[in-house]
Amino acid sequence: MIYLQLFYEFAKAGLFAIGGGLATLPFLQDISVRTGWYTADQLADMIAVSECTPGPIGVNMSTYTGYTVGGILGAVVATLGLIFPSIVIIIIVAKILKAFQDNKYVKAAFYGLRPASTGLIAAACLSVGQIALFNQGAFDSLKSVFFGIRYPAVILAVILWLLMNLGTFKALKKNKVLAKISKLHPVVFLAASAVIGIIFGFGGV
Amino acid sequence: MKELLDLFFTFARIGGLTFGGGYAMLPMLQKEVVEKRDWATNEELMDYYAIGQCTPGIIAVNTATFIGNKTRGVLGGIIATLGVVFPSLVIITIIAAFISNFADLAVVKNAFAGIRVCVFVLILNAVVKLGKSSIKDAVTLCIFLLVLIGSLLLDVSPIIFVLIAAAAGIAAHLLLQKGGDKA
């Protein structure tokens, strides 16, 4: 029964992959080696597609793998398998947390956790920025930081930042247009960036 | 029922608009969950991310379960999680079925290179917002900087940082009388 096996394999990945989406990757490699459901090349394709489509990468990879192995039902079963352990564990953790939320030691622990959480996200942010604004290949071959920087991307990043933040500055708050722009939904900026990426050939192709 | 549908579609929208993993979901969560609806605060988001780092499963899914569970109980947790994965299921299945070499298409590569720049700026904004509510004094500033520098330079699991930071919070409370009551 391939569907049961799919559910089981992805539930295992969901249970043991801790952290962000790419934490699922080693488990997918392991599944590929043990079951022969897909090759390493196919896996590379799945990662590429998962990274440039909406949705959490781990979920995208499970759906893609499930579809490759067992069609639409396979995609659904693999994804449900992946999220099943999370749902169970988080609901239990949430219950425990609720019971202890007024405990002063738990509060003190969260006082330390929050800046740490911010620090981890800031680090992830910088590595996204490095990939988005810096061309490692050009840097490696030309040995100069000046050739490594993707200038159009940096200009776009600065413009985006200004559009998102100018309207929130005290001196400019009265400017209704700026204030409105800074309150736009993130998807507006994402869509505009995609269009700019296509028009100016940001991907270098 | 209406609230459950609202949960499902809100998280479906968040899942469908997130490019590139759990951290990229943060700006969407701040917009949809914190600003538009009062389902969680920025502080709670940080707590969920910290716990999501050291519990099994991917962060995006864990956070969805947390917020759904907080809003509408166990069923809410399940519905929010199904919502966040729903767009992936549809989009990936269509791509896998009909478009071979999707990721190699020039238009996809160029669009995604632009999107990545925007994701960077969106996460940067999200970090600034979180920092304003999590970095309150010298102790929290130190924890922030140490974790940031540590995770950039060392190849250590985030779980280690999360555990040490929790211990540091408790130590600061015992030694300096910080955190416990007002945090």
Side-chain angles (χ1 to χ4, degrees), chain B residues 39-76:
Chain B
W39 287 347
T41 62
N42 270 318
E43 283 79 10
E44 282 167 329
L45 275 189
M46 278 184 277
D47 297 350
Y48 298 156
Y49 265 76
I51 298 169
Q53 292 275 1
C54 44
T55 43
I58 52 182
I59 299 175
V61 170
N62 291 352
T63 314
T65 311
F66 252 125
I67 296 170
N69 180 62
K70 192 205 159 210
T71 319
R72 296 288 298 163
V74 174
L75 191 58

PDB file of all heavy atoms in Angstrom, chain B residues 39-76:
ATOM      1  N   TRP B  39      -5.533  38.094  16.369  1.00  0.00           N
ATOM      2  CA  TRP B  39      -5.385  36.691  16.762  1.00  0.00           C
ATOM      3  C   TRP B  39      -4.134  36.452  17.595  1.00  0.00           C
ATOM      4  O   TRP B  39      -4.043  35.489  18.334  1.00  0.00           O
ATOM      5  CB  TRP B  39      -5.368  35.802  15.519  1.00  0.00           C
ATOM      6  CG  TRP B  39      -6.719  35.678  14.887  1.00  0.00           C
ATOM      7  CD1 TRP B  39      -7.916  36.052  15.436  1.00  0.00           C
ATOM      8  CD2 TRP B  39      -7.030  35.170  13.587  1.00  0.00           C
ATOM      9  NE1 TRP B  39      -8.931  35.791  14.560  1.00  0.00           N
ATOM     10  CE2 TRP B  39      -8.431  35.248  13.419  1.00  0.00           C
ATOM     11  CE3 TRP B  39      -6.250  34.634  12.548  1.00  0.00           C
ATOM     12  CZ2 TRP B  39      -9.073  34.813  12.259  1.00  0.00           C
ATOM     13  CZ3 TRP B  39      -6.894  34.206  11.399  1.00  0.00           C
ATOM     14  CH2 TRP B  39      -8.287  34.299  11.259  1.00  0.00           C
ATOM     15  N   ALA B  40      -3.119  37.308  17.451  1.00  0.00           N
ATOM     16  CA  ALA B  40      -1.890  37.144  18.234  1.00  0.00           C
ATOM     17  C   ALA B  40      -1.153  38.474  18.272  1.00  0.00           C
ATOM     18  O   ALA B  40      -1.438  39.368  17.468  1.00  0.00           O
ATOM     19  CB  ALA B  40      -1.000  36.066  17.613  1.00  0.00           C
ATOM     20  N   THR B  41      -0.233  38.611  19.233  1.00  0.00           N
ATOM     21  CA  THR B  41       0.594  39.814  19.315  1.00  0.00           C
ATOM     22  C   THR B  41       1.974  39.506  18.740  1.00  0.00           C
ATOM     23  O   THR B  41       2.310  38.342  18.512  1.00  0.00           O
ATOM     24  CB  THR B  41       0.772  40.256  20.764  1.00  0.00           C
ATOM     25  OG1 THR B  41       1.453  39.198  21.460  1.00  0.00           O
ATOM     26  CG2 THR B  41      -0.566  40.511  21.435  1.00  0.00           C
ATOM     27  N   ASN B  42       2.766  40.556  18.515  1.00  0.00           N
ATOM     28  CA  ASN B  42       4.140  40.337  18.059  1.00  0.00           C
ATOM     29  C   ASN B  42       4.931  39.480  19.043  1.00  0.00           C
ATOM     30  O   ASN B  42       5.747  38.652  18.651  1.00  0.00           O
ATOM     31  CB  ASN B  42       4.843  41.685  17.864  1.00  0.00           C
ATOM     32  CG  ASN B  42       4.656  42.219  16.463  1.00  0.00           C
ATOM     33  OD1 ASN B  42       4.733  41.461  15.486  1.00  0.00           O
ATOM     34  ND2 ASN B  42       4.399  43.503  16.338  1.00  0.00           N
ATOM     35  N   GLU B  43       4.670  39.689  20.353  1.00  0.00           N
ATOM     36  CA  GLU B  43       5.367  38.901  21.376  1.00  0.00           C
ATOM     37  C   GLU B  43       5.034  37.420  21.210  1.00  0.00           C
ATOM     38  O   GLU B  43       5.906  36.566  21.266  1.00  0.00           O
ATOM     39  CB  GLU B  43       4.971  39.349  22.791  1.00  0.00           C
ATOM     40  CG  GLU B  43       5.631  40.635  23.259  1.00  0.00           C
ATOM     41  CD  GLU B  43       4.952  41.866  22.683  1.00  0.00           C
ATOM     42  OE1 GLU B  43       3.862  41.714  22.083  1.00  0.00           O
ATOM     43  OE2 GLU B  43       5.512  42.967  22.809  1.00  0.00           O
ATOM     44  N   GLU B  44       3.734  37.139  21.008  1.00  0.00           N
ATOM     45  CA  GLU B  44       3.336  35.737  20.855  1.00  0.00           C
ATOM     46  C   GLU B  44       3.958  35.120  19.602  1.00  0.00           C
ATOM     47  O   GLU B  44       4.385  33.963  19.617  1.00  0.00           O
ATOM     48  CB  GLU B  44       1.810  35.624  20.826  1.00  0.00           C
ATOM     49  CG  GLU B  44       1.210  35.735  22.216  1.00  0.00           C
ATOM     50  CD  GLU B  44      -0.301  35.937  22.200  1.00  0.00           C
ATOM     51  OE1 GLU B  44      -0.820  36.561  21.250  1.00  0.00           O
ATOM     52  OE2 GLU B  44      -0.951  35.479  23.136  1.00  0.00           O
ATOM     53  N   LEU B  45       4.020  35.908  18.512  1.00  0.00           N
ATOM     54  CA  LEU B  45       4.665  35.396  17.301  1.00  0.00           C
ATOM     55  C   LEU B  45       6.098  34.967  17.597  1.00  0.00           C
ATOM     56  O   LEU B  45       6.542  33.910  17.166  1.00  0.00           O
ATOM     57  CB  LEU B  45       4.688  36.471  16.210  1.00  0.00           C
ATOM     58  CG  LEU B  45       3.464  36.640  15.321  1.00  0.00           C
ATOM     59  CD1 LEU B  45       3.802  37.595  14.181  1.00  0.00           C
ATOM     60  CD2 LEU B  45       3.015  35.306  14.761  1.00  0.00           C
ATOM     61  N   MET B  46       6.818  35.804  18.353  1.00  0.00           N
ATOM     62  CA  MET B  46       8.205  35.466  18.686  1.00  0.00           C
ATOM     63  C   MET B  46       8.277  34.190  19.520  1.00  0.00           C
ATOM     64  O   MET B  46       9.146  33.355  19.316  1.00  0.00           O
ATOM     65  CB  MET B  46       8.854  36.614  19.452  1.00  0.00           C
ATOM     66  CG  MET B  46       9.357  37.699  18.552  1.00  0.00           C
ATOM     67  SD  MET B  46      10.190  38.955  19.501  1.00  0.00           S
ATOM     68  CE  MET B  46       8.816  39.916  20.050  1.00  0.00           C
ATOM     69  N   ASP B  47       7.338  34.071  20.475  1.00  0.00           N
ATOM     70  CA  ASP B  47       7.312  32.860  21.300  1.00  0.00           C
ATOM     71  C   ASP B  47       7.100  31.634  20.415  1.00  0.00           C
ATOM     72  O   ASP B  47       7.768  30.611  20.576  1.00  0.00           O
ATOM     73  CB  ASP B  47       6.173  32.931  22.331  1.00  0.00           C
ATOM     74  CG  ASP B  47       6.377  34.089  23.301  1.00  0.00           C
ATOM     75  OD1 ASP B  47       7.472  34.687  23.279  1.00  0.00           O
ATOM     76  OD2 ASP B  47       5.443  34.384  24.066  1.00  0.00           O
ATOM     77  N   TYR B  48       6.146  31.743  19.473  1.00  0.00           N
ATOM     78  CA  TYR B  48       5.840  30.599  18.615  1.00  0.00           C
ATOM     79  C   TYR B  48       7.029  30.244  17.731  1.00  0.00           C
ATOM     80  O   TYR B  48       7.326  29.072  17.509  1.00  0.00           O
ATOM     81  CB  TYR B  48       4.620  30.898  17.733  1.00  0.00           C
ATOM     82  CG  TYR B  48       3.354  31.156  18.511  1.00  0.00           C
ATOM     83  CD1 TYR B  48       2.314  31.906  17.978  1.00  0.00           C
ATOM     84  CD2 TYR B  48       3.198  30.645  19.799  1.00  0.00           C
ATOM     85  CE1 TYR B  48       1.155  32.154  18.700  1.00  0.00           C
ATOM     86  CE2 TYR B  48       2.048  30.888  20.526  1.00  0.00           C
ATOM     87  CZ  TYR B  48       1.030  31.640  19.976  1.00  0.00           C
ATOM     88  OH  TYR B  48      -0.112  31.886  20.691  1.00  0.00           O
ATOM     89  N   TYR B  49       7.727  31.286  17.246  1.00  0.00           N
ATOM     90  CA  TYR B  49       8.907  31.001  16.416  1.00  0.00           C
ATOM     91  C   TYR B  49       9.988  30.318  17.245  1.00  0.00           C
ATOM     92  O   TYR B  49      10.633  29.391  16.784  1.00  0.00           O
ATOM     93  CB  TYR B  49       9.438  32.282  15.769  1.00  0.00           C
ATOM     94  CG  TYR B  49       8.900  32.486  14.378  1.00  0.00           C
ATOM     95  CD1 TYR B  49       7.599  32.924  14.185  1.00  0.00           C
ATOM     96  CD2 TYR B  49       9.663  32.202  13.250  1.00  0.00           C
ATOM     97  CE1 TYR B  49       7.080  33.089  12.918  1.00  0.00           C
ATOM     98  CE2 TYR B  49       9.146  32.367  11.975  1.00  0.00           C
ATOM     99  CZ  TYR B  49       7.865  32.814  11.815  1.00  0.00           C
ATOM    100  OH  TYR B  49       7.358  32.966  10.550  1.00  0.00           O
ATOM    101  N   ALA B  50      10.192  30.815  18.473  1.00  0.00           N
ATOM    102  CA  ALA B  50      11.219  30.210  19.328  1.00  0.00           C
ATOM    103  C   ALA B  50      10.869  28.760  19.631  1.00  0.00           C
ATOM    104  O   ALA B  50      11.722  27.868  19.546  1.00  0.00           O
ATOM    105  CB  ALA B  50      11.358  31.003  20.621  1.00  0.00           C
ATOM    106  N   ILE B  51       9.602  28.496  19.961  1.00  0.00           N
ATOM    107  CA  ILE B  51       9.197  27.119  20.261  1.00  0.00           C
ATOM    108  C   ILE B  51       9.210  26.289  18.979  1.00  0.00           C
ATOM    109  O   ILE B  51       9.655  25.135  18.983  1.00  0.00           O
ATOM    110  CB  ILE B  51       7.800  27.093  20.906  1.00  0.00           C
ATOM    111  CG1 ILE B  51       7.846  27.854  22.237  1.00  0.00           C
ATOM    112  CG2 ILE B  51       7.334  25.659  21.153  1.00  0.00           C
ATOM    113  CD1 ILE B  51       6.476  28.118  22.820  1.00  0.00           C
ATOM    114  N   GLY B  52       8.752  26.907  17.875  1.00  0.00           N
ATOM    115  CA  GLY B  52       8.740  26.205  16.588  1.00  0.00           C
ATOM    116  C   GLY B  52      10.130  25.759  16.156  1.00  0.00           C
ATOM    117  O   GLY B  52      10.283  24.766  15.447  1.00  0.00           O
ATOM    118  N   GLN B  53      11.169  26.503  16.603  1.00  0.00           N
ATOM    119  CA  GLN B  53      12.554  26.134  16.287  1.00  0.00           C
ATOM    120  C   GLN B  53      12.961  24.835  16.964  1.00  0.00           C
ATOM    121  O   GLN B  53      13.807  24.119  16.456  1.00  0.00           O
ATOM    122  CB  GLN B  53      13.525  27.212  16.793  1.00  0.00           C
ATOM    123  CG  GLN B  53      13.449  28.522  16.094  1.00  0.00           C
ATOM    124  CD  GLN B  53      14.293  28.534  14.842  1.00  0.00           C
ATOM    125  OE1 GLN B  53      14.915  27.546  14.492  1.00  0.00           O
ATOM    126  NE2 GLN B  53      14.277  29.651  14.157  1.00  0.00           N
ATOM    127  N   CYS B  54      12.426  24.592  18.157  1.00  0.00           N
ATOM    128  CA  CYS B  54      12.932  23.423  18.879  1.00  0.00           C
ATOM    129  C   CYS B  54      11.873  22.355  19.092  1.00  0.00           C
ATOM    130  O   CYS B  54      12.053  21.469  19.915  1.00  0.00           O
ATOM    131  CB  CYS B  54      13.629  23.822  20.186  1.00  0.00           C
ATOM    132  SG  CYS B  54      12.787  25.035  21.135  1.00  0.00           S
ATOM    133  N   THR B  55      10.769  22.447  18.358  1.00  0.00           N
ATOM    134  CA  THR B  55       9.836  21.327  18.344  1.00  0.00           C
ATOM    135  C   THR B  55       9.861  20.734  16.938  1.00  0.00           C
ATOM    136  O   THR B  55      10.203  21.424  15.978  1.00  0.00           O
ATOM    137  CB  THR B  55       8.405  21.784  18.682  1.00  0.00           C
ATOM    138  OG1 THR B  55       8.137  22.997  17.993  1.00  0.00           O
ATOM    139  CG2 THR B  55       8.225  22.005  20.164  1.00  0.00           C
ATOM    140  N   PRO B  56       9.509  19.450  16.823  1.00  0.00           N
ATOM    141  CA  PRO B  56       9.550  18.801  15.516  1.00  0.00           C
ATOM    142  C   PRO B  56       8.623  19.493  14.526  1.00  0.00           C
ATOM    143  O   PRO B  56       7.645  20.121  14.917  1.00  0.00           O
ATOM    144  CB  PRO B  56       9.056  17.393  15.799  1.00  0.00           C
ATOM    145  CG  PRO B  56       9.233  17.198  17.254  1.00  0.00           C
ATOM    146  CD  PRO B  56       9.103  18.537  17.881  1.00  0.00           C
ATOM    147  N   GLY B  57       8.955  19.364  13.263  1.00  0.00           N
ATOM    148  CA  GLY B  57       8.109  19.910  12.210  1.00  0.00           C
ATOM    149  C   GLY B  57       8.625  21.234  11.710  1.00  0.00           C
ATOM    150  O   GLY B  57       9.429  21.886  12.372  1.00  0.00           O
ATOM    151  N   ILE B  58       8.153  21.648  10.533  1.00  0.00           N
ATOM    152  CA  ILE B  58       8.660  22.896   9.967  1.00  0.00           C
ATOM    153  C   ILE B  58       7.959  24.075  10.618  1.00  0.00           C
ATOM    154  O   ILE B  58       6.796  23.994  11.008  1.00  0.00           O
ATOM    155  CB  ILE B  58       8.514  22.920   8.442  1.00  0.00           C
ATOM    156  CG1 ILE B  58       7.094  22.601   8.036  1.00  0.00           C
ATOM    157  CG2 ILE B  58       9.432  21.919   7.797  1.00  0.00           C
ATOM    158  CD1 ILE B  58       6.903  22.573   6.556  1.00  0.00           C
ATOM    159  N   ILE B  59       8.705  25.190  10.730  1.00  0.00           N
ATOM    160  CA  ILE B  59       8.250  26.338  11.521  1.00  0.00           C
ATOM    161  C   ILE B  59       6.914  26.890  11.025  1.00  0.00           C
ATOM    162  O   ILE B  59       6.038  27.217  11.824  1.00  0.00           O
ATOM    163  CB  ILE B  59       9.303  27.465  11.484  1.00  0.00           C
ATOM    164  CG1 ILE B  59      10.609  26.944  12.080  1.00  0.00           C
ATOM    165  CG2 ILE B  59       8.841  28.662  12.288  1.00  0.00           C
ATOM    166  CD1 ILE B  59      11.727  27.944  11.975  1.00  0.00           C
ATOM    167  N   ALA B  60       6.772  26.991   9.700  1.00  0.00           N
ATOM    168  CA  ALA B  60       5.545  27.579   9.143  1.00  0.00           C
ATOM    169  C   ALA B  60       4.326  26.803   9.626  1.00  0.00           C
ATOM    170  O   ALA B  60       3.315  27.385  10.034  1.00  0.00           O
ATOM    171  CB  ALA B  60       5.618  27.572   7.617  1.00  0.00           C
ATOM    172  N   VAL B  61       4.422  25.470   9.599  1.00  0.00           N
ATOM    173  CA  VAL B  61       3.311  24.620  10.024  1.00  0.00           C
ATOM    174  C   VAL B  61       3.087  24.754  11.529  1.00  0.00           C
ATOM    175  O   VAL B  61       1.955  24.910  11.992  1.00  0.00           O
ATOM    176  CB  VAL B  61       3.588  23.151   9.636  1.00  0.00           C
ATOM    177  CG1 VAL B  61       2.568  22.223  10.270  1.00  0.00           C
ATOM    178  CG2 VAL B  61       3.589  23.001   8.128  1.00  0.00           C
ATOM    179  N   ASN B  62       4.166  24.726  12.288  1.00  0.00           N
ATOM    180  CA  ASN B  62       4.045  24.840  13.744  1.00  0.00           C
ATOM    181  C   ASN B  62       3.368  26.148  14.154  1.00  0.00           C
ATOM    182  O   ASN B  62       2.504  26.166  15.032  1.00  0.00           O
ATOM    183  CB  ASN B  62       5.428  24.770  14.397  1.00  0.00           C
ATOM    184  CG  ASN B  62       6.042  23.391  14.290  1.00  0.00           C
ATOM    185  OD1 ASN B  62       5.376  22.453  13.863  1.00  0.00           O
ATOM    186  ND2 ASN B  62       7.289  23.254  14.667  1.00  0.00           N
ATOM    187  N   THR B  63       3.771  27.242  13.514  1.00  0.00           N
ATOM    188  CA  THR B  63       3.198  28.541  13.864  1.00  0.00           C
ATOM    189  C   THR B  63       1.713  28.589  13.523  1.00  0.00           C
ATOM    190  O   THR B  63       0.904  29.119  14.284  1.00  0.00           O
ATOM    191  CB  THR B  63       3.951  29.666  13.127  1.00  0.00           C
ATOM    192  OG1 THR B  63       5.347  29.435  13.252  1.00  0.00           O
ATOM    193  CG2 THR B  63       3.626  31.018  13.709  1.00  0.00           C
ATOM    194  N   ALA B  64       1.341  28.024  12.368  1.00  0.00           N
ATOM    195  CA  ALA B  64      -0.071  27.989  11.977  1.00  0.00           C
ATOM    196  C   ALA B  64      -0.884  27.199  13.002  1.00  0.00           C
ATOM    197  O   ALA B  64      -1.961  27.632  13.429  1.00  0.00           O
ATOM    198  CB  ALA B  64      -0.224  27.376  10.591  1.00  0.00           C
ATOM    199  N   THR B  65      -0.363  26.043  13.416  1.00  0.00           N
ATOM    200  CA  THR B  65      -1.074  25.236  14.413  1.00  0.00           C
ATOM    201  C   THR B  65      -1.246  26.020  15.713  1.00  0.00           C
ATOM    202  O   THR B  65      -2.321  26.030  16.318  1.00  0.00           O
ATOM    203  CB  THR B  65      -0.312  23.924  14.706  1.00  0.00           C
ATOM    204  OG1 THR B  65       0.037  23.296  13.476  1.00  0.00           O
ATOM    205  CG2 THR B  65      -1.166  22.969  15.520  1.00  0.00           C
ATOM    206  N   PHE B  66      -0.164  26.695  16.149  1.00  0.00           N
ATOM    207  CA  PHE B  66      -0.200  27.477  17.379  1.00  0.00           C
ATOM    208  C   PHE B  66      -1.306  28.529  17.345  1.00  0.00           C
ATOM    209  O   PHE B  66      -2.132  28.629  18.252  1.00  0.00           O
ATOM    210  CB  PHE B  66       1.135  28.206  17.576  1.00  0.00           C
ATOM    211  CG  PHE B  66       1.971  27.625  18.672  1.00  0.00           C
ATOM    212  CD1 PHE B  66       3.277  27.221  18.422  1.00  0.00           C
ATOM    213  CD2 PHE B  66       1.464  27.487  19.957  1.00  0.00           C
ATOM    214  CE1 PHE B  66       4.053  26.679  19.423  1.00  0.00           C
ATOM    215  CE2 PHE B  66       2.239  26.956  20.961  1.00  0.00           C
ATOM    216  CZ  PHE B  66       3.533  26.550  20.691  1.00  0.00           C
ATOM    217  N   ILE B  67      -1.320  29.332  16.283  1.00  0.00           N
ATOM    218  CA  ILE B  67      -2.271  30.445  16.218  1.00  0.00           C
ATOM    219  C   ILE B  67      -3.696  29.928  16.063  1.00  0.00           C
ATOM    220  O   ILE B  67      -4.619  30.418  16.718  1.00  0.00           O
ATOM    221  CB  ILE B  67      -1.888  31.408  15.072  1.00  0.00           C
ATOM    222  CG1 ILE B  67      -0.533  32.040  15.388  1.00  0.00           C
ATOM    223  CG2 ILE B  67      -2.949  32.498  14.898  1.00  0.00           C
ATOM    224  CD1 ILE B  67       0.062  32.818  14.249  1.00  0.00           C
ATOM    225  N   GLY B  68      -3.884  28.904  15.228  1.00  0.00           N
ATOM    226  CA  GLY B  68      -5.217  28.315  15.072  1.00  0.00           C
ATOM    227  C   GLY B  68      -5.729  27.746  16.380  1.00  0.00           C
ATOM    228  O   GLY B  68      -6.880  27.958  16.771  1.00  0.00           O
ATOM    229  N   ASN B  69      -4.852  27.049  17.092  1.00  0.00           N
ATOM    230  CA  ASN B  69      -5.208  26.443  18.368  1.00  0.00           C
ATOM    231  C   ASN B  69      -5.551  27.508  19.407  1.00  0.00           C
ATOM    232  O   ASN B  69      -6.489  27.359  20.184  1.00  0.00           O
ATOM    233  CB  ASN B  69      -4.040  25.577  18.858  1.00  0.00           C
ATOM    234  CG  ASN B  69      -4.335  24.908  20.186  1.00  0.00           C
ATOM    235  OD1 ASN B  69      -5.254  24.118  20.291  1.00  0.00           O
ATOM    236  ND2 ASN B  69      -3.560  25.245  21.202  1.00  0.00           N
ATOM    237  N   LYS B  70      -4.812  28.619  19.374  1.00  0.00           N
ATOM    238  CA  LYS B  70      -5.058  29.706  20.323  1.00  0.00           C
ATOM    239  C   LYS B  70      -6.413  30.360  20.034  1.00  0.00           C
ATOM    240  O   LYS B  70      -7.142  30.737  20.948  1.00  0.00           O
ATOM    241  CB  LYS B  70      -3.949  30.746  20.211  1.00  0.00           C
ATOM    242  CG  LYS B  70      -3.983  31.739  21.345  1.00  0.00           C
ATOM    243  CD  LYS B  70      -3.350  33.054  20.977  1.00  0.00           C
ATOM    244  CE  LYS B  70      -3.854  34.130  21.903  1.00  0.00           C
ATOM    245  NZ  LYS B  70      -3.883  35.445  21.266  1.00  0.00           N
ATOM    246  N   THR B  71      -6.748  30.494  18.757  1.00  0.00           N
ATOM    247  CA  THR B  71      -7.974  31.187  18.369  1.00  0.00           C
ATOM    248  C   THR B  71      -9.215  30.326  18.553  1.00  0.00           C
ATOM    249  O   THR B  71     -10.223  30.774  19.093  1.00  0.00           O
ATOM    250  CB  THR B  71      -7.888  31.621  16.883  1.00  0.00           C
ATOM    251  OG1 THR B  71      -6.585  32.096  16.637  1.00  0.00           O
ATOM    252  CG2 THR B  71      -8.878  32.714  16.574  1.00  0.00           C
ATOM    253  N   ARG B  72      -9.179  29.087  18.067  1.00  0.00           N
ATOM    254  CA  ARG B  72     -10.383  28.257  18.061  1.00  0.00           C
ATOM    255  C   ARG B  72     -10.135  26.844  18.566  1.00  0.00           C
ATOM    256  O   ARG B  72     -10.766  25.909  18.077  1.00  0.00           O
ATOM    257  CB  ARG B  72     -10.957  28.178  16.644  1.00  0.00           C
ATOM    258  CG  ARG B  72     -11.445  29.484  16.070  1.00  0.00           C
ATOM    259  CD  ARG B  72     -12.727  29.979  16.684  1.00  0.00           C
ATOM    260  NE  ARG B  72     -13.830  29.047  16.455  1.00  0.00           N
ATOM    261  CZ  ARG B  72     -14.969  29.060  17.139  1.00  0.00           C
ATOM    262  NH1 ARG B  72     -15.144  29.931  18.095  1.00  0.00           N
ATOM    263  NH2 ARG B  72     -15.913  28.203  16.854  1.00  0.00           N
ATOM    264  N   GLY B  73      -9.190  26.649  19.475  1.00  0.00           N
ATOM    265  CA  GLY B  73      -8.985  25.327  20.037  1.00  0.00           C
ATOM    266  C   GLY B  73      -8.365  24.334  19.059  1.00  0.00           C
ATOM    267  O   GLY B  73      -7.828  24.729  18.028  1.00  0.00           O
ATOM    268  N   VAL B  74      -8.469  23.059  19.405  1.00  0.00           N
ATOM    269  CA  VAL B  74      -7.814  21.999  18.633  1.00  0.00           C
ATOM    270  C   VAL B  74      -8.259  22.024  17.169  1.00  0.00           C
ATOM    271  O   VAL B  74      -7.433  21.972  16.246  1.00  0.00           O
ATOM    272  CB  VAL B  74      -8.107  20.608  19.250  1.00  0.00           C
ATOM    273  CG1 VAL B  74      -7.549  19.507  18.361  1.00  0.00           C
ATOM    274  CG2 VAL B  74      -7.507  20.524  20.646  1.00  0.00           C
ATOM    275  N   LEU B  75      -9.569  22.142  16.944  1.00  0.00           N
ATOM    276  CA  LEU B  75     -10.081  22.170  15.576  1.00  0.00           C
ATOM    277  C   LEU B  75      -9.493  23.361  14.809  1.00  0.00           C
ATOM    278  O   LEU B  75      -9.113  23.249  13.639  1.00  0.00           O
ATOM    279  CB  LEU B  75     -11.614  22.247  15.598  1.00  0.00           C
ATOM    280  CG  LEU B  75     -12.315  22.032  14.263  1.00  0.00           C
ATOM    281  CD1 LEU B  75     -11.958  20.672  13.666  1.00  0.00           C
ATOM    282  CD2 LEU B  75     -13.826  22.148  14.425  1.00  0.00           C
ATOM    283  N   GLY B  76      -9.395  24.504  15.501  1.00  0.00           N
ATOM    284  CA  GLY B  76      -8.789  25.685  14.883  1.00  0.00           C
ATOM    285  C   GLY B  76      -7.356  25.420  14.461  1.00  0.00           C
ATOM    286  O   GLY B  76      -6.926  25.834  13.388  1.00  0.00           O
TER     287      GLY B  76
END
